[in-house]
Amino acid sequence: MTVTPGPAFPKPAATFYDEVGGHETFALLTQRFYDGVREDDLLAPMYPEADLEGAQWRLEAFLEQYWGGPTTYSAQRGHPRLRMRHAPFEVTPAARDRWLAHMRAALLSLDLPPLHEATLWDYLERAAHAMVNASGDPGPDGDDRPSPLAPPRGGSLL
């Protein structure tokens, strides 16, 4: 009996990143998302114009890494620590809902297969809810949080 050897190394299983189209898909998602953010009166102030490209790159690189793509985000920025990175910003339920509205529009524009769309949306929705750190209702001193809506010096989200 002759045994035919298989390949030396098995082909790795495709990642979600690969299945949805890789870099091109995540680049388009984040571009369309930030097109909406630029015009949003509540969200735009959280993203300094001078760092909008940087914010877009960080979201794109983070999502690519999360879904099985290149690990560039962690190589350049370390652990994502999403809650910590969003702490300086007043992320209210209203801000979350606006973020989700722009992200939903961007996601739907990709015309992904339903299972991929639902998988990605489920994550984005859960992540957005986890970032809420302020009620949006003024407290006894007239402010909900001690930190202003403006981003910290030299930075923006992610």
Side-chain angles (χ1 to χ4, degrees):
M1 174 194 296
T2 304
V3 176
T4 306
F9 298 99
K11 182 178 177 183
T15 63
F16 184 86
Y17 171 84
D18 296 321
E19 290 174 2
V20 298
H23 173 75
E24 293 76 21
T25 296
F26 288 97
L28 192 54
L29 175 69
T30 56
Q31 176 61 54
R32 290 179 177 170
F33 168 74
Y34 278 102
D35 286 348
V37 166
R38 281 182 181 87
E39 304 301 319
D40 191 287
D41 62 335
L42 178 60
L43 297 181
M46 293 183 181
Y47 299 88
E49 186 63 36
D51 190 41
L52 208 49
E53 282 185 31
Q56 183 174 331
W57 177 88
R58 289 186 295 275
L59 178 59
E60 179 182 309
F62 168 75
L63 290 173
E64 287 181 331
Q65 178 175 304
Y66 182 87
W67 292 104
T71 58
T72 311
Y73 182 91
S74 287
Q76 292 190 17
R77 305 219 6 117
H79 189 282
R81 296 175 281 174
L82 294 180
R83 296 263 315 156
M84 181 200 78
R85 292 185 193 274
H86 287 79
F89 303 90
E90 185 175 316
V91 183
T92 63
R96 174 205 60 213
D97 292 348
R98 294 267 190 99
W99 190 96
L100 284 168
H102 293 298
M103 189 54 80
R104 184 74 179 153
L107 178 58
L108 290 174
S109 77
L110 299 177
D111 200 28
L112 295 174
L115 182 58
H116 291 112
E117 178 188 305
T119 300
L120 186 51
W121 180 246
D122 178 64
Y123 169 75
L124 293 167
E125 194 171 33
R126 285 184 293 113
H129 281 268
M131 294 305 109
V132 172
N133 60 17
S135 70
D137 296 327
D141 60 357
D143 194 5
D144 185 41
R145 295 172 32 102
S147 62
L149 183 61
R153 284 182 219 164
S156 67
L157 297 177
L158 288 180

